[in-house]
Amino acid sequence: MANQTDSHGAAEAAGMPQLEFSTFPNQIFWLAVALVIIYMILSRIALPRVASVLAERRGVITGDIAAAEDLRRKAEDAEAAYNRALADARAEAARIVAEAKAEIQADLDAAMETADAEIAAKVAESEKAIAGIRASAFGNVETIARSVAAEIVEAMDATSDERVIRDAVSARMGGLGG
Amino acid sequence: MASEAQAEGTGLVFHPMDQFIVKPLFGDGPIHWYTPTNVTLWMFLAIVVITLTLVVGTRGRAVVPSRSQSVAELAYGFVYRMVEDVAGKDGLRYFPYIMTLFMFIVCSNFLGLLPMSFTTTSHIAVTGVMAAAVFLGVTVLGFALHGVSFLKLFWIGAAPLALRPVLAVIEIISYFVRPVSHSIRLAGNMMAGHAVIKVFATFAAVAVISPLSILAITAIYALETLVSFIQAYVFAILTCVYLRDALHPHH
């Protein structure tokens, strides 16, 4: 297999270049140099810097969370105070409403009482007037009945004196006239 | 294993492995250990990318991150949580090392996906050194922290006594195979994907099958993008697992 490579130029690989042991010292030397340089860059500059950035971020986040917690507690306090004020205001309002109601009720009761008294007085007055009217009406009824009775007797061609008729009418109406 | 094969008759020339050749950047001379090569170039590009993401991207140090800073924080948080979850809290001391490995591998893998680029992590020399470093580091750490009792890692107390010697042999073998699988997994994955793309690219020269070939390249490229990340992740998480064994050898 290796004999095939003879026909090609020197720049071509003879077998696996990985097994070209003459290049090993070169590769190992430069690898060591590269690794040492990378290690120096990382351990001196890059890693401490990234670590400090991450630590700072963690600090900032912790601080922010603490501040947020603080603010949340403040907000809760404010809410509690607000609720307390609200409850107080409600109680005050309820008290005022009850007071006003009681006052109105008292006014109403008084007004009702005077109104009732007035009504009672009017009723009594009216009853008195009605009784008067009724009495006079009965008086009139008797007079009319007497004259009607006299007319009826006359119409029946009977004679009677006025006294008899009056007594008879009075006797008939005794239950009504009073 | 030939990296190229002249398919007689079709005129297609396959060079799927040429992309892995280590070349000097300047001139054509021999490759000494110090010669600046394409390995050097692409490793330094990885350093540049890491610097851009993690250093330049975070220069604002903003509490509310910009997009580039989010990427850096995401990478940091990803590896940090992985180390914490897998290796435990006391594994976090070794977080910079694991971050170094992860960032290097992930950046090299993604840089290797660029056309005409060189994939440093496809070389067993590179992944082998990293795996060996992890293996040695973890083993030394285990003995340094626990002394001889680190060997209890291989002596499984939960198993029946008769089985323990057998299990100990198996555990020791698997322990020593770790760096091999650790390194070959990464290098093999990177190499295979890139080689397959190259083979399909060669087929694109034939007009009849070129649409199919380009479709296949697209599909494999998507797969390789996924593999690039997953292999870096696997390498890092296995490092964490080995680290956990060193920190807590008593299961």
Side-chain angles (χ1 to χ4, degrees):
Chain A
M1 292 184 145
N3 61 350
Q4 274 190 319
T5 63
D6 296 343
S7 57
H8 300 296
E12 286 169 8
M16 279 174 72
Q18 278 84 353
L19 298 179
E20 194 76 55
F21 293 106
S22 62
T23 65
F24 273 30
N26 182 270
Q27 294 192 52
I28 292 168
F29 169 67
W30 288 113
L31 172 69
V33 171
L35 287 182
V36 167
I37 292 175
I38 294 171
Y39 177 76
M40 288 300 172
I41 292 171
L42 290 190
S43 63
R44 294 280 156 80
I45 308 170
L47 299 185
R49 186 186 287 177
V50 176
S52 76
V53 166
L54 292 181
E56 192 189 334
R57 177 169 318 143
R58 212 169 305 127
V60 167
I61 289 172
T62 314
D64 282 1
I65 287 176
E69 182 65 22
D70 208 39
L71 289 175
R72 196 178 60 81
R73 209 170 311 112
K74 269 185 195 156
E76 272 173 5
D77 287 354
E79 198 194 348
Y82 164 77
N83 281 339
R84 213 175 313 117
L86 196 65
D88 285 355
R90 282 228 177 89
E92 180 72 12
R95 197 181 56 73
I96 289 169
V97 166
E99 244 169 45
K101 232 185 218 165
E103 213 168 283
I104 290 166
Q105 192 64 47
D107 284 357
L108 196 64
D109 286 351
M112 288 283 258
E113 229 163 86
T114 44
D116 279 353
E118 258 168 47
I119 289 165
K122 284 230 168 94
V123 166
E125 215 170 274
S126 307
E127 267 171 6
K128 216 185 285 160
I130 289 165
I133 290 164
R134 188 188 272 172
S136 72
F138 273 118
N140 291 343
V141 166
E142 202 171 348
T143 317
I144 291 162
R146 226 176 277 151
S147 69
V148 168
E151 289 286 342
I152 291 167
V153 169
E154 209 170 304
M156 289 167 79
D157 288 331
T159 51
S160 66
D161 67 61
E162 204 167 311
R163 197 172 46 82
V164 175
I165 289 168
R166 196 183 57 216
D167 286 348
V169 169
S170 290
R172 283 282 197 281
M173 290 183 61
L176 295 168
Chain B
M1 215 189 280
S3 64
E4 77 240 40
Q6 183 110 35
E8 304 293 339
T10 61
L12 294 179
V13 183
F14 294 93
H15 297 292
M17 305 303 272
D18 284 7
Q19 56 180 322
F20 302 121
I21 298 172
V22 177
K23 296 185 276 254
L25 276 183
F26 313 105
D28 229 2
I31 295 166
H32 299 293
W33 60 267
Y34 53 83
T35 314
T37 53
N38 46 359
V39 179
T40 321
L41 172 68
W42 288 97
M43 279 181 182
F44 274 82
L45 285 178
I47 295 174
V48 169
V49 171
I50 291 170
T51 312
L52 284 177
T53 345
L54 292 182
V55 178
V56 180
T58 58
R59 71 194 180 287
R61 289 186 179 81
V63 171
V64 178
S66 60
R67 281 184 205 180
S68 55
Q69 194 183 322
S70 300
V71 173
E73 284 172 12
L74 226 58
Y76 180 97
F78 179 72
V79 180
Y80 192 89
R81 216 163 312 121
M82 177 166 70
V83 177
E84 194 177 22
D85 290 349
V86 179
K89 277 256 184 254
D90 43 355
L92 287 177
R93 261 194 304 159
Y94 310 100
F95 163 65
Y97 300 103
I98 294 167
M99 186 75 177
T100 303
L101 286 177
F102 177 78
M103 288 311 292
F104 172 71
I105 295 170
V106 85
C107 290
S108 300
N109 287 356
F110 279 130
L111 281 173
L113 284 175
L114 296 174
M116 312 301 290
S117 72
F118 176 81
T119 319
T120 50
T121 42
S122 69
H123 275 263
I124 194 76
V126 171
T127 60
V129 166
M130 289 192 291
V134 169
F135 177 77
L136 289 177
V138 160
T139 310
V140 168
L141 187 69
F143 279 112
L145 289 178
H146 305 283
V148 185
S149 80
F150 178 59
L151 291 174
K152 281 194 183 145
L153 182 65
F154 308 115
W155 195 253
I156 295 155
L161 191 61
L163 274 179
R164 284 184 208 170
V166 184
L167 284 177
V169 172
I170 295 174
E171 286 283 325
I172 288 171
I173 293 172
S174 81
Y175 189 82
F176 281 97
V177 167
R178 276 176 178 182
V180 178
S181 61
H182 204 186
S183 55
I184 289 182
R185 182 181 301 112
L186 176 58
N189 266 292
M190 298 321 295
M191 185 187 76
H194 287 72
V196 167
I197 288 180
K198 206 74 168 180
V199 168
F200 275 116
T202 311
F203 277 119
V206 181
V208 183
I209 44 176
S210 62
L212 190 70
S213 164
I214 288 167
L215 206 69
I217 291 172
T218 313
I220 292 179
Y221 196 92
L223 182 71
E224 279 305 293
T225 312
L226 196 67
V227 166
S228 291
F229 180 78
I230 287 175
Q231 286 307 318
Y233 174 66
V234 166
F235 196 97
I237 205 162
L238 282 175
T239 306
C240 292
V241 170
Y242 302 160
L243 183 62
R244 183 193 57 196
D245 282 347
L247 297 172
H248 317 282
H250 320 292
H251 293 280

